[in-house]
Amino acid sequence: MDDIDFTLPADIFWARSARRVLPKGGLAHQRFDTLADAICHVMQGDETPRYSLSIDTDDASFTLSEIEEIFKSEPFAPYRQGAEAAAPAK
C-alpha cells in the first residue's frame, strides 16, 4: 500500500441502484484530479447511495473495501483532512 501514487488522476464508477436496471440503475462516473481527492470524496463527501463503487487510475483499480482500508492507512494520513487539502505539505 506504500507504493500508491495519490497524485494520479482518478475516476469513480458506481451503480445508481442495487438493481442496475437502466436507466435508473445505470453506471455513474465522476472524475477527480487526484486519487486522494477521489478517496476523500468517497469517504468524507456527500452521502449519495452508491452501489458497486470502484476508483480507477491508470495504474490500479480499488473496490470500496480497499478504499476504506487506504483511507485509514498511515500513508494516506496527510491527505485525510479533506478533499480541499488533498496534497501533503512539502
Side-chain angles (χ1 to χ4, degrees):
M1 194 177 306
D2 293 330
D3 58 345
I4 297 173
D5 184 354
F6 296 114
T7 64
L8 290 173
D11 298 286
I12 299 176
F13 296 94
W14 70 94
R16 291 186 177 152
S17 80
R19 294 181 60 205
R20 294 191 205 173
V21 177
L22 294 175
K24 290 184 180 180
L27 287 178
H29 167 262
Q30 191 168 357
R31 180 126 177 110
F32 288 86
D33 291 336
T34 67
L35 175 58
D37 286 341
I39 292 171
C40 286
H41 181 77
V42 168
M43 298 303 297
Q44 298 174 316
D46 63 30
E47 297 184 18
T48 304
R50 294 181 174 108
Y51 305 92
S52 301
L53 184 137
S54 71
I55 295 180
D56 297 343
T57 68
D58 288 341
D59 291 345
S61 181
F62 305 97
T63 64
L64 184 55
S65 61
E66 292 170 324
I67 294 163
E68 290 169 345
E69 185 178 321
I70 291 168
F71 183 77
K72 295 174 186 174
S73 72
E74 192 60 35
F76 194 77
Y79 301 95
R80 217 176 282 140
Q81 276 111 35
E84 61 278 348
K90 291 186 178 183

